[in-house]
Amino acid sequence: MDNKDSLKAQLISDFQAIEGRMNGEAKSPVHQVRQEALKTFETLGFPTIKHEEWKYSNVKNLINQAFEFNAPSDFSAQDVADSSIPNLEGNILYFVNGVYNAELSSIVSPSSELQILTFAEAVKQEPALVEQYFNKYSDSASNAFTALNTAFAHNGIFVHVPANKVVEQPVILRFIADARNVNVASQPRNLIVVGKRSQVQIAEAYRSLGDNSSFTNAVTEFVVEEEANVHYYKVQNESDKAYHIGTTSVLQAGKSVFTANTVTANGGFVRNNLNIKIDGEYAEANMFGLYIPNKKQHIDNHTVVDHAKPNSESHELYKGILKDNSVGVFNGKIFVRQDAQKTNAFQSCKNVLMSENASMNTKPQLEIWADDVKCSHGTTTGQLNEDALFYMQARGISKDSARALLMLAFAQEVIDKMQIPAIKEYLQELIIDKIYQG
């Protein structure tokens, strides 16, 4: 038995050992979903580079390691202070090695406009809502990591915004991988339901500590009902020994707006899947991404926008700055179904290579079954503009400073999409530090 099969067997054994604790009643609808997901994972197994969706992202190094799932941690209030985002206010929830820490968390919004439960609590207290939406729109049938997360869905958060509510304070989910003592792993499952004509900002921030390896396998599901407006942020600042595989699945109803901002500053191996289904007329989806890998970091972004109904639009812009021996991957798919007439869909991926050893793999895809649409996609990968470098140097700016300024200007278009000032400022400083490294 090789390491890949060993880890798979270990996970299956772990599920059998803890399934009673996860649910209690094996016949509950949620647990039946878990059991079916485990069967799917058993069938699929871990992907290899022979799988088209994983052609440029080899998970061999990940599955050849041993991890302790939901390991205990002594992460403290002092650690919170050391790793906090300055001036950040809102509903801040801490998850350490996947487990919610109520003592470190702070919920400030009134319960009348925002309901927050752990996923385990929601299964018991809000079974109707959870059963209605849990795993209904994820890719667990085809994605082994999503299936694995679904099988172990217990830790994580449930957020429900009732109809006609404006949540003034953002919801910040801070996921800490404390790998200071051992290799750690977690599988948070988040379900967020936003009612009709409501508004909310949701942010996921991932950070890892320590010199050991960490593995985060996260799935977040959004249900965005009619005329709702959701801003979603995903910020990744993890170590060079961090493996992160995350899937965000979104279902949009008519006249809703969903805006996603994904910024990957650091991480050894990162795979972000963003899947949006527009299932109502006059809905709008916006996707903005920025990634700045250096050293041997590997950052992979896969996006899917599925236009199922007419008169909707999507806008997508991803940008990458790649240094040293880093690798970037972008695969963006747009589907326009036969009934989705008068769809406007635009996709762009732009990359700058700062080293001859850096590489970028891009694959934009556009499949259209309707005839009255406006759609476009494109990708560019190249070096910094030499004329602009020369112009700045001629005015007394050093070459290194000129390169850094041009890279910052390149990244700023995505950073400016952020609407939470504290996160925006934090990212600007993080990116400046990253750009000036080396």
Side-chain angles (χ1 to χ4, degrees):
M1 181 181 292
D2 62 22
N3 288 338
K4 176 180 69 174
D5 293 332
S6 177
L7 179 58
K8 178 181 174 183
Q10 175 203 331
L11 289 164
I12 294 170
S13 177
D14 287 348
F15 176 86
Q16 294 168 344
I18 68 171
E19 65 172 327
R21 187 167 74 248
M22 282 196 298
N23 190 72
E25 298 179 12
K27 293 184 179 180
S28 75
V30 168
H31 199 61
Q32 289 178 24
V33 173
R34 292 190 185 111
Q35 291 173 323
E36 288 300 316
L38 184 72
K39 293 178 183 177
T40 300
F41 172 68
E42 288 186 77
T43 300
L44 293 175
F46 291 110
T48 70
I49 56 175
K50 294 180 180 179
H51 295 78
E52 184 63 27
E53 292 293 301
W54 295 86
K55 183 177 180 180
Y56 300 110
S57 296
N58 195 337
V59 299
K60 179 181 66 175
N61 291 336
L62 163 63
I63 61 182
N64 280 343
Q65 297 191 59
F67 295 92
E68 186 172 340
F69 281 82
N70 306 321
S73 166
D74 57 1
F75 188 82
S76 65
Q78 182 58 51
D79 293 316
V80 169
D82 292 341
S83 62
S84 65
I85 297 175
N87 304 314
L88 182 62
E89 297 179 351
N91 303 282
I92 304 177
L93 285 70
Y94 274 88
F95 299 80
V96 183
N97 293 341
V99 179
Y100 176 61
N101 189 316
E103 293 182 0
L104 301 178
S105 302
S106 175
I107 298 175
V108 297
S109 293
S111 58
S112 60
E113 68 180 34
L114 181 67
Q115 181 186 26
I116 296 178
L117 301 169
T118 68
F119 187 86
E121 290 171 341
V123 170
K124 296 178 180 179
Q125 298 180 31
E126 296 288 350
L129 269 177
V130 175
E131 291 165 17
Q132 182 178 357
Y133 296 120
F134 171 55
N135 205 49
K136 291 296 191 300
Y137 312 105
S138 72
D139 58 349
S140 63
S142 58
N143 186 317
F145 287 100
T146 304
L148 180 62
N149 175 285
T150 302
F152 284 87
H154 184 68
N155 294 309
I157 206 72
F158 170 82
V159 177
H160 178 219
V161 182
N164 303 305
K165 300 293 182 180
V166 176
V167 183
E168 299 291 345
Q169 296 288 348
V171 179
I172 314 294
L173 310 179
R174 299 220 61 195
F175 295 95
I176 307 295
D178 185 356
R180 290 177 291 189
N181 297 315
V182 296
N183 289 356
V184 298
S186 63
Q187 301 197 81
R189 182 59 170 248
N190 308 310
L191 176 59
I192 300 164
V193 181
V194 183
K196 294 181 180 179
R197 295 175 293 279
S198 291
Q199 298 180 33
V200 67
Q201 295 186 90
I202 305 282
E204 294 178 355
Y206 293 89
R207 182 81 179 268
S208 57
L209 306 176
D211 296 326
N212 295 295
S213 295
S214 64
F215 169 37
T216 300
N217 180 31
V219 175
T220 299
E221 294 180 284
F222 279 93
V223 178
V224 186
E225 297 187 353
E226 292 179 1
E227 299 183 54
N229 191 320
V230 177
H231 280 261
Y232 166 65
Y233 309 93
K234 185 173 185 179
V235 179
Q236 296 165 301
N237 184 21
E238 299 175 274
S239 76
D240 291 341
K241 292 185 177 181
Y243 297 86
H244 182 113
I245 297 175
T247 295
T248 303
S249 296
V250 183
L251 179 75
Q252 286 188 246
K255 298 182 181 179
S256 66
V257 179
F258 183 86
T259 301
N261 300 74
T262 304
V263 178
T264 306
N266 284 294
F269 180 100
V270 177
R271 167 67 173 256
N272 292 317
N273 302 307
L274 175 58
N275 307 320
I276 299 178
K277 182 174 182 179
I278 299 179
D279 200 32
E281 290 193 69
Y282 303 105
E284 177 184 338
N286 302 294
M287 293 151 287
F288 306 109
L290 177 66
Y291 40 97
I292 310 180
N294 65 352
K295 304 175 185 176
K296 294 183 179 180
Q297 295 175 352
H298 180 108
I299 312 297
D300 181 348
N301 285 286
H302 269 57
T303 67
V304 177
V305 185
D306 188 351
H307 290 266
K309 297 293 172 60
N311 299 298
S312 65
E313 59 183 84
S314 63
H315 305 269
E316 182 171 10
L317 173 64
Y318 273 69
K319 286 190 167 186
I321 299 172
L322 295 90
K323 305 172 70 176
D324 305 326
N325 296 293
S326 63
V327 176
V329 182
F330 175 80
N331 187 329
K333 299 179 182 177
I334 298 174
F335 298 112
V336 181
R337 305 296 174 180
Q338 187 172 0
D339 293 337
Q341 303 293 340
K342 298 188 182 302
T343 288
N344 295 332
F346 307 99
Q347 178 193 96
S348 177
C349 178
K350 302 177 180 179
N351 303 282
V352 175
L353 301 181
M354 303 301 298
S355 163
E356 293 181 356
N357 297 320
S359 63
M360 183 71 205
N361 304 285
T362 60
K363 186 180 180 183
Q365 295 176 252
L366 183 58
E367 297 186 27
I368 302 173
W369 290 276
D371 50 23
D372 186 7
V373 300
K374 293 181 180 178
C375 299
S376 67
H377 64 78
T379 178
T380 59
T381 299
Q383 308 291 326
L384 280 179
N385 188 310
E386 292 296 332
D387 290 340
L389 273 175
F390 177 80
Y391 178 87
M392 297 174 74
Q393 287 179 266
R395 278 148 182 79
I397 301 174
S398 71
K399 185 174 183 179
D400 287 344
S401 295
R403 284 161 59 92
L405 288 170
L406 288 173
M407 284 190 287
L408 183 60
F410 177 79
Q412 196 66 41
E413 185 178 4
V414 175
I415 297 302
D416 283 343
K417 306 295 184 182
M418 295 283 182
Q419 294 189 2
I420 300 177
I423 293 181
K424 182 176 180 178
E425 292 171 10
Y426 168 77
L427 284 174
Q428 284 176 322
E429 293 184 7
L430 195 62
I431 289 166
I432 289 171
D433 289 343
K434 187 72 179 280
I435 287 173
Y436 273 99
Q437 287 177 15

